[in-house]
Amino acid sequence: MLFAQSFTISGKIVNKGSGSLIAGASVFLSNSSFGTTSTSEGTFTLNRLRPGQYTLVVTAVGYAEYNTTVMVNTDINDLRIELEQQPIILREVTISGSSRADWNRNYEMFKKDFIGTDANAKQCVVINPKVLDFTYRKSKQTLVASSDEFLVVENKALGYRVKFLLNAFSSDKIEGTISYQGKRLFEELPGNASQKKKWQAKRDEAYYGSAMHFFRSLYQNKLQQEGFEMRRLVRMTDPARPSAGYILKKLDQFNGTIRRDSFQYWYNIYQSPKYVNQKISSMPWFSNEVLREGPEPGLYVLTFPDYLYVIYKNREETEAFKDIYRPLDMPNYEVSVLTLFNNPPYTIFDSNGIVVGESPLMEGAWSKQRLSELLPVDYVPAQPFKSAK
């Protein structure tokens, strides 16, 4: 019933100093397919909005970006959004050969970590890659990226044009973690009826088993019906295992030398799990054991001790994750592990299945999901869930 409801946001965009109307401003709800531009009178309307918490973003040339959090559970009318003018700073263009080579190398790393390497990623085209700025910190093996314009990616596997304001991106090769912050808008690519049918099937494939699918199933108390199972995971970091940075330093030291036995020794350590004494609970957790009411209607709090072990029984895992524990008697289902960081540990998500608080660390199957499989928060699958088990 909640998903069947739809609401509207409307308002006017003006210059904060003069009060003059601003036409042609981009107005959108971040991470969704809801977007428009302001009219010649500075007005805008976003229709058919699904309930949930969103970030409303407004951008216009010559003005500072505006964003605010909105909870959509009723119509929101007559918003007055004031944009502050800011000077336009021209991007510096560097054309030295070494800088171009460094940029190209960093860009290839970025594409793998941000867009992905799966079959969908091969059908993703970056329209304007030069808006990206990179910094690679060799000592920490960390790639940092950002852009002050929309990064536009056409995902021809899912049929979306994704416009991404990438505020921050970081890929830590030592720890094996990727994090990013930004606002994004999804637009439908043009296509014929046959193409749209294929896109819909690929979108459903990306949705089922995803973190979005899990969170929606969790608050609706439909985990079992939707193919999920939660268990408590207990584990501890192996105290005898050197740090990831030290292991990689040793691999670099012996790589390509005649001391192949030393390289193999450190490679075996690198491939070994970082955790010991791992165990999952014998009984599954139910939704009410980890779910709490949120600070306002439409928001939910997920909290649990140790780690959350999420099994998706409708798909088999195709990749071996050395740090993901698997009992010998468990089928090769997809598994994801969630780690919370707040104290006490919790994260907040909305009715669209999107985390709106501090994001948990995701390991396993969900750690593979990149822009190539990204769906707007308002996505609803075309076909109902069908269990393969």
Side-chain angles (χ1 to χ4, degrees):
M1 292 179 61
L2 185 64
F3 282 0
Q5 294 176 294
S6 64
F7 302 103
T8 297
I9 297 178
S10 63
K12 182 177 293 186
I13 303 172
V14 300
N15 183 305
K16 185 175 183 178
S18 65
S20 60
L21 304 175
I22 300 176
S26 176
V27 185
F28 64 96
L29 298 181
S30 180
N31 301 336
S32 78
S33 60
F34 302 123
T36 188
T37 55
S38 58
T39 67
S40 58
E41 290 83 30
T43 61
F44 71 91
T45 301
L46 297 171
N47 292 312
R48 299 187 298 277
L49 307 182
R50 283 167 52 90
Q53 181 168 295
Y54 298 89
T55 299
L56 175 65
V57 184
V58 182
T59 64
V61 176
Y63 292 89
E65 176 189 318
Y66 171 94
N67 61 81
T68 187
T69 300
V70 291
M71 173 57 74
V72 177
N73 50 28
T74 186
D75 290 338
I76 303 174
N77 299 315
D78 302 322
L79 279 179
R80 179 182 173 88
I81 296 176
E82 299 180 335
L83 300 186
E84 293 189 55
Q85 283 187 290
Q86 69 175 10
I88 299 176
I89 302 175
L90 297 177
R91 296 172 61 88
E92 180 181 355
V93 179
T94 305
I95 59 173
S96 67
S98 59
S99 295
R100 183 182 294 113
D102 291 343
W103 189 94
N104 289 339
R105 180 201 63 211
N106 292 336
Y107 177 60
E108 291 303 316
M109 294 170 56
F110 171 82
K111 283 200 301 182
K112 292 179 180 179
D113 291 343
F114 186 68
I115 296 177
T117 59
D118 63 348
N120 287 358
K122 295 177 182 178
Q123 298 186 59
C124 291
V125 179
V126 182
I127 304 301
N128 56 341
K130 293 301 181 181
V131 303
L132 291 165
D133 289 319
F134 297 112
T135 301
Y136 182 70
R137 297 167 181 151
K138 187 175 181 180
S139 61
K140 296 184 177 180
Q141 297 191 37
T142 301
L143 177 67
V144 176
S146 64
S147 67
D148 52 17
E149 301 176 35
F150 279 106
L151 176 69
V152 182
V153 181
E154 291 189 352
N155 187 339
K156 298 182 179 181
L158 299 183
Y160 290 119
R161 178 183 294 109
V162 186
K163 295 181 176 179
F164 211 119
L165 278 175
L166 190 64
N167 301 126
F169 168 90
S170 178
S171 175
D172 188 327
K173 301 300 181 183
I174 293 179
E175 296 298 331
T177 58
I178 297 171
S179 61
Y180 59 85
Q181 295 178 348
K183 293 93 177 176
R184 54 201 173 211
L185 172 65
F186 292 78
E187 297 175 347
E188 294 278 349
L189 288 176
N192 56 36
S194 175
Q195 183 64 70
K196 289 181 179 180
K197 185 177 180 180
K198 292 179 181 178
W199 286 340
Q200 192 63 64
K202 293 293 289 184
R203 292 173 185 179
D204 281 3
E205 181 182 338
Y207 172 78
Y208 285 116
S210 67
M212 181 193 293
H213 181 202
F214 166 75
F215 283 119
R216 289 182 181 180
S217 303
L218 177 63
Y219 90 83
Q220 295 177 59
N221 197 24
K222 291 184 177 180
L223 289 176
Q224 184 176 358
Q225 298 96 308
E226 297 289 316
F228 291 104
E229 184 175 288
M230 297 185 302
R231 293 178 183 257
R232 178 179 182 175
L233 170 67
V234 178
R235 64 185 181 182
M236 61 175 291
T237 303
D238 184 354
R241 192 176 191 270
S243 68
Y246 186 79
I247 295 172
L248 290 177
K249 180 179 178 181
K250 286 297 183 180
L251 285 173
D252 185 61
Q253 176 184 344
F254 296 115
N255 187 25
T257 69
I258 60 174
R259 301 179 63 178
R260 300 182 62 179
D261 55 339
S262 296
F263 177 83
Q264 189 62 48
Y265 170 80
W266 286 103
Y267 181 76
N268 291 341
I269 294 179
Y270 173 75
Q271 292 286 53
S272 65
K274 67 172 66 173
Y275 301 106
V276 294
N277 300 332
Q278 301 193 74
K279 181 175 62 175
I280 61 172
S281 58
S282 58
M283 295 296 294
W285 266 338
F286 296 103
S287 294
N288 60 7
E289 295 181 84
V290 299
L291 196 63
R292 305 289 182 268
E293 291 185 1
E296 56 183 295
L299 294 182
Y300 307 89
V301 176
L302 173 66
T303 180
F304 52 84
D306 301 313
Y307 305 89
L308 186 64
Y309 192 89
V310 181
I311 304 167
Y312 183 59
K313 296 184 176 182
N314 212 46
R315 190 157 50 223
E316 291 191 348
E317 183 55 73
T318 58
E319 184 173 335
F321 296 96
K322 62 183 179 65
D323 291 324
I324 297 298
Y325 171 71
R326 284 185 175 277
L328 294 178
D329 60 347
M330 188 181 82
N332 190 36
Y333 298 135
E334 278 193 349
V335 171
S336 300
V337 173
L338 270 64
T339 304
L340 300 177
F341 296 108
N342 291 308
N343 188 20
Y346 73 92
T347 192
I348 300 175
F349 65 97
D350 71 358
S351 56
N352 288 321
I354 299 300
V355 173
V356 298
E358 182 174 0
S359 294
L361 174 68
M362 297 184 180
E363 302 173 67
W366 292 343
S367 72
K368 297 186 298 182
Q369 295 175 350
R370 303 286 190 269
L371 185 141
S372 63
E373 294 186 326
L374 201 62
L375 297 167
V377 300
D378 50 292
Y379 181 75
V380 178
Q383 297 298 322
F385 176 80
K386 295 180 181 179
S387 176
K389 304 300 176 184

